[in-house]
Amino acid sequence: MRLYIAEKPSLGRAIASALPKPHKNQSGYIEVGNGDVVSWCIGHILEQADPEVYDETYKKWQMQHLPIIPEQWQLKPITRTKAQLAVLRKLVKQADSIIHAGDPDREGQLLVDEVIDYFKVSKTKKANVKRLLISDLNFPAVKRSLKSLKNNQDFMPLSISALARSRADWLYGINLT
């Protein structure tokens, strides 16, 4: 089964509409006629872990703990999207291949890459992740995009850029405000 992971449900529905019918709507995903599945994040589905996840002593804010700089960064599920994360976990395990369909910008790249990394997708499967770039949700544009998948590895600089910004925001927020 090929799994398409979109950034948001509206993009997921647009992708499914351009794939073979019949479609079967499930909770958090759509099964399409050729056995493939389209699912989605709901914007950010993971977030940077709080300081106390790294060390319990950080639970109570104290000036002498600063600066707090994680040695190994951690992500945690966002409470309001845990159910969708569980759906994605199940689907990622079942998938033979993954199509990354985040928005064509650095945040869209990071959103889906974080999910793939969070589930510890094997290096072999991760190396074969394809990138679907859709900037217009109309049917002909989506259909064209589905015919020109790229290698997701080619977009890692975008993901790294968004990750750097995210970590810098966390460091600044925790240590300087």
Side-chain angles (χ1 to χ4, degrees):
M1 174 249 308
R2 187 176 359 198
L3 171 62
Y4 294 81
I5 304 176
E7 182 169 336
K8 50 191 164 281
S10 59
L11 179 58
R13 286 189 296 274
I15 293 167
S17 73
L19 293 171
K21 299 193 178 10
H23 296 163
K24 186 172 181 185
N25 290 323
Q26 301 289 356
S27 181
Y29 64 99
I30 301 168
E31 294 176 4
V32 296
N34 62 358
D36 291 346
V37 172
V38 180
S39 190
W40 45 82
C41 300
I42 305 170
H44 281 280
I45 204 162
L46 298 163
E47 64 185 350
Q48 296 289 335
D50 297 321
E52 59 268 17
V53 171
Y54 297 103
D55 188 328
E56 275 294 314
T57 60
Y58 298 150
K59 196 167 190 137
K60 184 177 187 312
W61 191 91
Q62 294 180 357
M63 186 70 132
Q64 66 265 23
H65 293 154
L66 302 179
I68 299 171
I69 303 172
E71 286 183 33
Q72 183 69 40
W73 289 88
Q74 297 178 41
L75 294 171
K76 68 175 188 173
I78 294 175
T79 304
R80 68 178 166 72
T81 57
K82 275 187 178 180
Q84 186 61 25
L85 188 64
V87 167
L88 286 168
R89 178 185 310 274
K90 179 185 86 166
L91 294 172
V92 165
K93 282 182 182 177
Q94 295 172 353
D96 299 316
S97 63
I98 298 172
I99 309 297
H100 180 312
D103 286 353
D105 58 26
R106 67 183 188 175
E107 283 302 311
Q109 185 67 41
L110 180 62
L111 283 170
V112 178
D113 283 343
E114 282 180 334
V115 168
I116 292 167
D117 289 341
Y118 187 76
F119 293 141
K120 298 179 179 17
V121 170
S122 73
K123 285 184 182 182
T124 305
K125 191 191 277 189
K126 195 173 174 181
N128 292 314
V129 172
K130 298 296 180 200
R131 184 65 162 97
L132 174 60
L133 298 165
I134 299 174
S135 54
D136 185 346
L137 297 185
N138 72 52
F139 183 81
V142 173
K143 207 66 165 146
R144 270 192 312 276
S145 295
L146 284 165
K147 292 178 182 169
S148 59
L149 299 176
K150 312 277 189 230
N151 186 330
N152 191 53
Q153 292 296 318
D154 295 344
F155 298 88
M156 281 302 114
L158 271 179
S159 191
I160 292 167
S161 171
L163 183 61
R165 187 218 32 87
S166 174
R167 289 179 178 175
D169 287 351
W170 188 95
L171 289 167
Y172 182 85
I174 297 298
N175 293 299
L176 297 174
T177 50

